[in-house]
Amino acid sequence: MTEVELYDLWCKNAKDDSDLQDELLSIKNDEEAINDRFYRDLEFGTGGLRGVIGAGTNRINIYTVRRATQGFADYLNQEYSNPSVAISYDSRIKSDVFSMASAEVLAANGIKVYIYPELMPTPCLSFAVRRLNCQGGIMVTASHNPAKYNGYKVYGDDGCQITLRGANIILDKINSLDMFKDIKKSDFNEELAKGTISYIGDDVIEDFYKNVIAEGINTDLCASSGLKVVYTPLNGTGNKPVREILKRIGISDVTIVKEQENPDGNFPTCPYPNPEIREALELGLKYCNDVKPDLLLATDPDCDRVGIAVPDGDGYALFSGNEVGAMLLEYICSQRIAKGTMPENPIAVKTIVTTDIVNLIGKEYGVQIIDVLTGFKFIGEQIGFLEGKGETDRYVFGFEESYGYLSGSYVRDKDAVNASMLICEMAAYYRSQGITLLQARENMYKKYGVFYQTLYSFTFEGESGMNKMAELMTNLRENSPMEIGGLKVIRFDDYQTSVSKDLVNGTAIELVLPKSNVLAFFLEGGSKAIVRPSGTEPKIKVYLTAKCPTHEESAVLEQKLCADFTKFMK
């Protein structure tokens, strides 16, 4: 069907949401607007769906959610006998609507549904899948994207986001479905009365808290540390669980950023609620100027990422995800060894775009470092491999540069509740040693060298943007640069072809990770650049590492690397 024919079909059939009808009417005879909404189906990838909220096949709405859920239901009924699914949702616009719609489709397909009675973080969804022995899970969230976005993440029976195999089967089933004719649905309240849909109880939430607390190493130091914290949940799901955990470990001096305390999918004070960027923390930093805390914590809307800032002279310094993750790894390793709780043959897991300083930390403490593709599900997968061998205790920490951390095996996704606790505990411990977090970071760099990492995102909107992204990746793959930022490229890894080329001696080896549209350029002196298209946004992401003896030299080199990649992206 043409875009206009699809538009007419939606005008006739999309009657369950008045917002969609209003939007469709508003774009009548607007060829560009109609094309943008209907030129493709919203892509169901390995993470599920993510897109702009609105009308059309290329938007996330009650119909695209129902269709995805029907495909998921068909997959579950094919793979399992009497499957069940856990559902959670965040504070985003229509998250509650989409979660109820998902529950109604699952129930109509004979699948038992457990749903949280209020918004809850992503790690709580992963926990519920495992705790309730479900065969799948759905988390309605767009993580840290702007307010106009929402999303739908699908989980497997291990509490990880769905595998590549599962995602491909679900996609095939979705593609066979007519949006308006092939979807089974029921009434939420009727299914609730019948018991096909049940609310997840407080006992599950309490078990989650107990598992988080069990990951503490020096929590006994927190109550007497005098640590002062400013916390913002950025109008998301972290408000209750993070505050509860901090209370339980004895962090009582916590100031909440009031304007960002309660759930609000419009994110009025931080249009881009991503703790990776300074703009999202600006209001919290203003609080810091008045409160003078030892630490600012900021969790994203679905509370799986956390960013921090610490006192630095008259102001506050933001730490990157790479820095916090590396510091937590060193803290966990050093303290578990000191307390005699380090397992034999310990393992830490990081993604390929995460700082290589981790390799030096692992060597220092005898910890095996495993690299995986970008996406925390691959870290969770490694925990699953250990679980299959009865060796989950070997896992001590996993993290990715995008502010996601996890120290336990009780969930299989990043957990900002766990990370917030560990960060506060780490600060309390270093305070007991007369060291600030800022000093601890500098000590780490003195010990291992300066790894200066930055992330640049190049945006390409619409259909033409998708084509441009593909063209740029093909060009970098087929005509890869021999020099970047004045440094020679000594190795080139192409994860799509699974080939690693040593450009010094001309040899090549096979990469063992799954195929993925990722390119890595290794530069002389230990610097590096990794390029990949985002799986959830119309962006190409470039991860740069400038390795030099000092911060000043690293910053200069990073600008040279950035300048070259800016040229490559045109």
Side-chain angles (χ1 to χ4, degrees):
M1 298 178 76
T2 67
E3 287 83 359
V4 172
E5 288 172 335
L6 282 169
Y7 169 78
D8 291 337
L9 181 68
W10 276 62
C11 287
K12 293 174 184 175
N13 292 281
K15 304 288 189 181
D16 290 351
D17 187 336
S18 60
D19 291 341
L20 301 186
Q21 284 295 307
D22 292 342
E23 181 180 345
L24 290 167
L25 183 62
S26 72
I27 62 171
K28 187 177 182 180
N29 300 322
D30 186 336
E31 184 177 339
E32 183 178 350
I34 291 172
N35 181 69
D36 185 46
R37 286 162 175 78
F38 292 98
Y39 81 89
R40 66 166 188 161
D41 285 354
L42 188 64
E43 184 177 353
F44 185 92
T46 56
L49 299 172
R50 186 175 298 182
V52 174
I53 303 164
T57 57
N58 188 34
R59 295 288 188 267
I60 190 162
N61 52 64
I62 199 169
Y63 298 101
T64 52
V65 166
R66 283 174 178 166
R67 186 176 183 228
T69 308
Q70 183 64 55
F72 188 31
D74 291 342
Y75 162 78
L76 290 170
N77 280 326
Q78 171 185 292
E79 299 285 323
Y80 302 96
S81 299
N82 302 313
S84 61
V85 172
I87 298 177
S88 185
Y89 60 94
D90 70 2
S91 60
R92 287 184 174 272
I93 296 166
K94 295 189 182 293
S95 280
D96 55 344
V97 174
F98 296 158
S99 66
M100 290 178 67
S102 300
E104 290 173 338
V105 172
L106 292 169
N109 283 272
I111 296 172
K112 171 68 179 178
V113 177
Y114 299 96
I115 185 169
Y116 280 106
E118 62 178 340
L119 73 173
M120 293 292 286
T122 287
C124 292
L125 183 277
S126 178
F127 183 79
V129 170
R130 297 176 58 78
R131 169 68 166 71
L132 298 170
N133 298 310
C134 294
Q135 285 64 55
I138 294 170
M139 179 70 201
V140 181
T141 178
S143 188
H144 55 283
N145 286 89
K148 67 179 181 179
Y149 286 86
N150 210 330
Y152 172 103
K153 296 199 290 189
V154 177
Y155 288 73
D157 58 8
D158 57 356
C160 280
Q161 288 189 49
I162 200 75
T163 63
L164 295 173
R165 171 189 171 274
N168 288 332
I169 296 173
I170 295 168
L171 177 59
D172 287 342
K173 293 187 178 298
I174 291 171
N175 288 339
S176 70
L177 297 169
D178 182 280
M179 189 81 69
F180 299 110
K181 295 179 181 178
D182 297 335
I183 314 304
K184 299 177 185 178
K185 59 182 186 293
S186 56
D187 179 85
F188 185 90
N189 289 324
E190 289 179 6
E191 298 293 350
L192 195 64
K194 289 194 299 185
T196 315
I197 298 175
S198 298
Y199 285 122
I200 295 173
D202 290 342
D203 58 321
V204 175
I205 300 172
E206 179 60 28
D207 279 355
F208 172 78
Y209 289 152
K210 288 179 178 177
N211 276 272
V212 172
I213 293 290
E215 292 304 313
I217 304 170
N218 288 304
T219 49
D220 56 309
L221 296 175
C222 293
S224 59
S225 68
L227 198 70
K228 184 184 291 188
V229 176
V230 168
Y231 169 58
T232 172
L234 297 179
N235 300 117
T237 59
N239 188 36
K240 287 185 179 180
V242 170
R243 293 171 73 174
E244 179 64 24
I245 288 297
L246 296 187
K247 176 183 175 183
R248 292 192 185 196
I249 65 172
I251 305 293
S252 57
D253 194 345
V254 180
T255 300
I256 306 301
V257 178
K258 288 295 181 184
E259 297 89 337
Q260 298 171 344
E261 178 178 12
N262 295 317
D264 188 339
N266 292 299
F267 309 115
T269 59
C270 55
Y272 198 174
N274 181 356
E276 297 178 60
I277 61 174
R278 188 178 187 92
E279 289 81 356
L281 274 62
E282 285 293 351
L283 194 54
L285 291 168
K286 288 181 180 178
Y287 270 66
C288 289
N289 291 333
D290 296 330
V291 176
K292 307 296 183 186
D294 304 293
L295 180 65
L296 167 66
L297 291 173
T299 54
D300 68 341
D302 67 323
C303 196
D304 62 355
R305 304 169 192 248
V306 57
I308 74 168
V310 302
D312 181 15
D314 295 331
Y316 280 76
L318 275 63
F319 282 13
S320 72
N322 279 313
E323 290 172 331
V324 173
M327 291 173 66
L328 283 173
L329 177 62
E330 177 147 57
Y331 167 72
I332 290 169
C333 291
S334 64
Q335 290 307 294
R336 290 194 65 172
I337 288 173
K339 291 182 174 292
T341 61
M342 183 68 98
E344 290 187 16
N345 304 313
I347 286 174
V349 191
K350 74 175 186 71
T351 61
I352 58 174
V353 299
T354 298
T355 176
D356 288 336
I357 199 172
V358 171
N359 297 324
L360 301 178
I361 296 171
K363 184 177 181 181
E364 173 75 10
Y365 295 101
V367 177
Q368 178 187 352
I369 305 297
I370 295 177
D371 277 299
V372 296
L373 291 177
T374 306
F376 214 91
K377 63 176 173 287
F378 295 112
I379 296 176
E381 182 180 51
Q382 292 296 320
I383 303 173
F385 292 155
L386 291 172
E387 183 179 49
K389 297 185 290 185
E391 298 176 356
T392 50
D393 64 313
R394 291 179 62 197
Y395 171 80
V396 295
F397 192 57
F399 81 101
E400 56 187 4
E401 52 76 37
S402 55
Y403 295 56
Y405 321 97
L406 177 67
S407 68
S409 61
Y410 59 98
V411 296
R412 299 298 159 82
D413 213 333
K414 49 190 174 283
D415 183 2
V417 184
N418 165 255
S420 294
M421 179 191 77
L422 288 174
I423 291 166
C424 287
E425 180 188 301
M426 177 172 65
Y429 169 76
Y430 283 131
R431 170 175 278 202
S432 74
Q433 304 298 304
I435 301 171
T436 67
L437 285 178
L438 197 67
Q439 291 168 330
R441 183 182 69 173
E442 293 310 304
N443 290 344
M444 179 179 71
Y445 281 135
K446 286 178 183 177
K447 186 175 181 180
Y448 302 110
V450 176
F451 288 72
Y452 188 92
Q453 286 95 13
T454 50
L455 166 63
Y456 292 92
S457 294
F458 298 87
T459 302
F460 304 88
E461 295 283 1
E463 183 177 11
S464 62
M466 298 286 288
N467 294 332
K468 181 66 174 178
M469 288 169 62
E471 177 187 318
L472 289 169
M473 291 300 295
T474 297
N475 186 52
L476 279 173
R477 177 170 280 113
E478 297 179 353
N479 304 289
S480 58
M482 302 304 293
E483 184 178 285
I484 304 172
L487 298 177
K488 290 182 180 179
V489 179
I490 59 174
R491 190 176 117 202
F492 173 57
D493 288 0
D494 185 345
Y495 288 87
Q496 189 87 295
T497 60
S498 298
V499 174
S500 174
K501 296 179 182 178
D502 186 322
L503 302 183
V504 176
N505 58 32
T507 60
I509 61 172
E510 183 179 358
L511 296 169
V512 297
L513 294 179
K515 293 182 183 297
S516 183
N517 192 10
V518 179
L519 304 174
F521 303 87
F522 295 80
L523 311 178
E524 56 185 339
S527 296
K528 187 165 65 173
I530 297 182
V531 187
R532 73 176 184 92
S534 170
T536 56
E537 301 171 273
K539 296 177 179 179
I540 289 180
K541 294 188 173 184
V542 179
Y543 304 80
L544 301 177
T545 298
K547 185 180 183 299
C548 293
T550 68
H551 285 283
E552 292 75 18
E553 292 172 290
S554 295
V556 170
L557 174 57
E558 189 276 337
Q559 285 300 299
K560 292 179 181 179
L561 299 175
C562 174
D564 273 357
F565 266 99
T566 300
K567 294 175 187 175
F568 299 155
M569 291 295 112
K570 293 182 179 178

